[in-house]
Amino acid sequence: MNVPKGALALALALAAASLASPASAEVRLSFAAGLDYSNGKYGQAENTEIIAVPFGVRLSVDDWTFRANSSYLTVTGPADVTEDGETSQSTGARQGAERGIGDTTLSVERAFRRIGGSPAYVTASARARLPSGDETQGLGVGAVDYSLVGEAGVSTDEGGVYVSAGYRFLGQTDDGPERQDGMQGAIGAWAPLTNRVRVGAFGSWREASIEGGENPASAGAYISYRMSERLRVTFTASAGLSDASADETAGIRFNWLPGALND
């Protein structure tokens, strides 16, 4: 059995992280949960609506960050949930709504901050997407995917900007069309309005996972409010720039830093 390049990269990154984190490292643990809504026709005659309840955990050890995320999904309409923001025609006639856990993502990231004493930074990350969602119900891909992403930006007290680029290594399903690897990219910027409020804008694009398909692309904005030292709430809205993406999305996310685990 051949080991995918993305899997090897993820394993090497995890091994490096375990060697690079001394016992005296600064460790931070946080949790996230929220509610997302999206809808779009995805090139079909009828709308597909998706309500997602995302949840995840983040562990930071000095300049290393580890994440695990999943969602509970309710999908109503003819399209399957096959990619993040990218869907395909359903493999069967859907009667009403399908509900269940979606796919799970695991990632590891290494940050290089204040390069040359400047506010510039670079991050390198590896991600694995695991098929925990039911493919027959249109709740998941049905294959293991990997991706490698690099990001460069500038972060200051007055705000920041970033640009990222990456490559996806996609697994194959038993009955579906052949999936193809491809590039992805994103840009973004943010700025503080007050000590507690931050606003930002972003855009993303990637190559379609099916040959001849339209490339997904979207753009959006967010506003984040720090309710306390331990809790932050973020409101996000975006719009699709191609038929392969949702026409519109909106969401709310809570990030919690429990004091008992981080003091």
Side-chain angles (χ1 to χ4, degrees):
M1 178 178 179
N2 294 328
V3 179
K5 296 178 182 179
L8 179 60
L10 186 63
L12 291 175
L14 288 169
S18 65
L19 295 175
S21 301
S24 59
E26 181 182 355
V27 179
R28 306 286 279 179
L29 181 66
S30 62
F31 300 91
L35 181 67
D36 296 329
Y37 170 84
S38 65
N39 76 80
K41 290 187 175 181
Y42 306 99
Q44 302 185 45
E46 298 180 12
N47 266 5
T48 293
E49 293 186 340
I50 302 173
I51 299 175
V53 180
F55 47 89
V57 59
R58 169 178 170 168
L59 173 66
S60 296
V61 183
D62 286 341
D63 292 326
W64 291 89
T65 301
F66 306 88
R67 294 182 177 90
N69 298 280
S70 190
S71 297
Y72 183 85
L73 303 173
T74 299
V75 181
T76 306
D80 288 347
V81 180
T82 61
E83 312 288 350
D84 300 329
E86 179 182 357
T87 65
S88 68
Q89 187 172 356
S90 178
T91 54
R94 176 172 290 132
Q95 301 296 325
E98 297 285 3
R99 297 181 176 86
I101 297 294
D103 286 346
T104 299
T105 60
L106 304 176
S107 68
V108 57
E109 176 185 291
R110 174 67 161 92
F112 303 88
R113 311 178 195 279
R114 301 198 59 80
I115 298 175
S118 74
Y121 71 88
V122 172
T123 65
S125 63
R127 186 184 80 160
R129 176 171 175 157
L130 309 179
S132 53
D134 191 324
E135 180 188 8
T136 62
Q137 292 181 304
L139 301 175
V141 173
V144 180
D145 297 342
Y146 303 95
S147 60
L148 300 174
V149 180
E151 178 179 307
V154 174
S155 179
T156 70
D157 292 339
E158 289 74 35
V161 297
Y162 69 87
V163 59
S164 72
Y167 198 83
R168 299 191 300 162
F169 304 88
L170 304 184
Q172 302 300 325
T173 60
D174 293 333
D175 302 322
E178 182 178 357
R179 304 172 74 222
Q180 60 181 10
D181 303 340
M183 297 289 296
Q184 65 181 44
I187 57 174
W190 71 92
L193 291 183
T194 69
N195 290 336
R196 291 180 176 268
V197 180
R198 173 188 291 184
V199 296
F202 55 87
S204 64
W205 165 93
R206 69 171 174 272
E207 291 184 298
S209 60
I210 305 299
E211 185 176 1
E214 189 167 355
N215 297 329
S218 62
Y222 70 87
I223 180 168
S224 181
Y225 175 68
R226 181 166 55 83
M227 303 175 68
S228 69
E229 293 296 327
R230 302 294 184 184
L231 185 63
R232 177 179 291 274
V233 59
T234 302
F235 301 91
T236 304
S238 63
L241 303 179
S242 77
D243 285 341
S245 299
D247 291 340
E248 55 192 12
T249 66
I252 181 173
R253 195 68 44 89
F254 294 92
N255 292 88
W256 175 48
L257 190 73
L261 299 176
N262 293 281
D263 289 337

